[in-house]
Amino acid sequence: MDSFDLDIAIFGGGIAGLWTLARLRRAGYRVALFERRALGGVQSIASQGIIHGGTKYALTGRLTGSAMAIGEMPGIWRAALAGDGEVDLRTVRVLAPQQYLWSTGSLASGMAGFFAGKVMQSRMQALPAGGFPPPFDDPRFRGSVYRLDEPVLDARSLAEALATQYGEACGLVPASLAVERLPRGWRLVSPETGERRVAALVLAAGHGNAALLGQLGQDGPAMQTRPLHMIMVRGALPPLYAHCLGASANPRLTVTSYPMDDGRVVWYLGGQVAEEGVGRSPAAQIAAGRDELATLLPWMSFPDTEWATFAVDRAEVATGGGRRPDDAFVGETDGLFTCWPTKLAFAPRVARLVAGGLQRQGIGPQAGGVPDLGLARPPVARLPWDEVETWN
Ligand code: FAD
């Protein structure tokens, strides 16, 4: 039988890599995680932190087949947040236990029928007029509000929770690390780590997976990127966690909020405005954001607010036509797993698919500890608004 120094090496310390690390460590595997920059990732730390349960998929009429898996995700996260799940997330800050959907004016008739459907009724509750939360409790608001029982998490505290528990298994990837396939397993070599034999690799490097696959001589699975130009507004704002539905089923605007230590709140704006703003300059995107808020929340005003924007790509498995994949993706060949969760919410599913693949391939946990790889520990990633140099 081959002998390995490590059972698994994970590349990438975003949510996919960290959740998989936690799950496999708990299953007794000797796992190390190699990160290029910071724990918490690129997309994960930039995400809106929404633990989707599929409502957005249902809204687009695509809640079919494997996409149903998303429905299980909030339950898995809730168990982890309560400390009795497959990962311990008790220290993660839940920014909001629920979100809202609002529509201005009356819903398009197709959508009204849809809302009356059974699937949607089980996922969201229409609130009675008079029972709207702020800022929709204003008499000038005309429209409907629905409550979605899907929590919103603080992405930084999520990264911190996992870095605190599993940071000792994480190292900054050495610039000169060479990875070669062996007849069984892999050989990792660098001056820092020395030579290490590993049974399986997990690529959870988001955008970096394409380059890693190239370095390993693999010609797939193919990746697609879908860019976003997010908007941030900072000031004396009420916390708001809500999607605005427009004429199409994709949310026109998604607002999440982050309370700062100094009492101010950052509104983080995504949805169609972020997708359509990709070609805009930061100034033009800020102007578009101001227009959207004036149109969709016309009774509110935004004096003394500061604005900034942030561009980031979503990295996913390629789909025909570049549309969003409906499910998490884990590509599997001998001793190699390539992961794109598609959503933060899908991280547990990625870990489950990897664990199942390892079992299928007969790669089980070996006795012994994780060797000290002599690598520096990566820092925890900073939230996009903490990285802004100049607010406008
Ligand atoms: P990442 O978080 O990108 O992590 C990849 C990591 O790999 C990074 O740390 C990177 O430094 C590292 N890396 C890269 N190359 C290498 C290498 N060669 N070696 C080692 N490490 C490497 N999903 C939701 O469910 N809810 C949301 O509210 C939500 N909002 C979003 C908002 C935005 C703006 C974006 C961009 C995405 C959002 N998503 C959301 C999607 C979600 O964030 C992603 O699907 C998920 O975070 C991807 O996680 P990941 O671990 O695969 O990638």
Side-chain angles (χ1 to χ4, degrees), residues 133-148:
F136 307 109
D137 53 353
D138 190 286
R140 288 165 291 177
F141 170 65
R142 302 257 173 280
S144 326
V145 182
Y146 296 80
R147 195 182 64 224
L148 287 185

Side-chain angles (χ1 to χ4, degrees), residues 36-223:
R36 191 170 58 180
R37 207 183 58 121
L39 297 176
V42 173
Q43 300 161 82
S44 308
I45 198 74
S47 80
Q48 291 193 281
I50 300 168
I51 303 305
H52 295 285
T55 311
K56 277 204 331 189
Y57 290 78
L59 282 169
T60 51
R62 296 216 308 270
L63 192 71
T64 52
S66 57
M68 290 297 278
I70 191 93
E72 289 176 58
M73 295 302 127
I76 295 175
W77 283 84
R78 282 204 181 90
L81 290 163
D84 77 65
E86 59 190 49
V87 167
D88 182 354
L89 299 184
R90 274 175 300 176
T91 58
V92 173
R93 179 155 73 140
V94 178
L95 294 172
Q98 66 211 1
Q99 309 154 59
Y100 297 98
L101 274 178
W102 92 95
S103 66
T104 53
S106 57
L107 287 166
S109 55
M111 295 291 286
F114 187 71
F115 274 91
K118 263 209 176 111
V119 179
M120 294 309 289
Q121 279 185 1
S122 65
R123 287 166 186 276
M124 47 199 274
Q125 296 82 44
L127 300 183
F132 293 166
F136 307 109
D137 53 353
D138 190 286
R140 288 165 291 177
F141 170 65
R142 302 257 173 280
S144 326
V145 182
Y146 296 80
R147 195 182 64 224
L148 287 185
D149 290 323
E150 297 177 355
V152 184
L153 306 185
D154 171 354
R156 162 93 192 181
S157 74
L158 175 60
E160 268 168 354
L162 292 167
T164 304
Q165 294 172 73
Y166 300 101
E168 99 291 345
C170 303
L172 282 168
V173 62
S176 63
L177 186 73
V179 185
E180 291 156 23
R181 205 187 248 290
L182 299 171
R184 197 169 144 75
W186 302 85
R187 195 168 79 102
L188 271 48
V189 193
S190 73
E192 293 86 346
T193 56
E195 180 180 332
R196 304 288 176 175
R197 291 159 65 88
V198 183
L201 303 185
V202 174
L203 308 187
H207 203 276
N209 276 353
L212 282 170
L213 285 165
Q215 283 163 30
L216 300 178
Q218 306 284 313
D219 58 6
M223 182 178 86

Side-chain angles (χ1 to χ4, degrees), residues 10-18 34-52 56 70 173 204-209 211-212 215 226 228 230 256 268 310 312-316 339-346:
I10 298 175
F11 288 83
I15 192 61
L18 287 172
F34 296 86
E35 164 55 45
R36 191 170 58 180
R37 207 183 58 121
L39 297 176
V42 173
Q43 300 161 82
S44 308
I45 198 74
S47 80
Q48 291 193 281
I50 300 168
I51 303 305
H52 295 285
K56 277 204 331 189
I70 191 93
V173 62
H207 203 276
N209 276 353
L212 282 170
Q215 283 163 30
R226 291 187 305 127
L228 290 170
M230 305 293 284
T256 50
Y268 194 33
F310 174 74
V312 58
D313 285 350
R314 288 167 295 189
E316 302 163 343
C339 314
W340 284 290
T342 308
K343 297 220 147 283
L344 185 81
F346 266 138

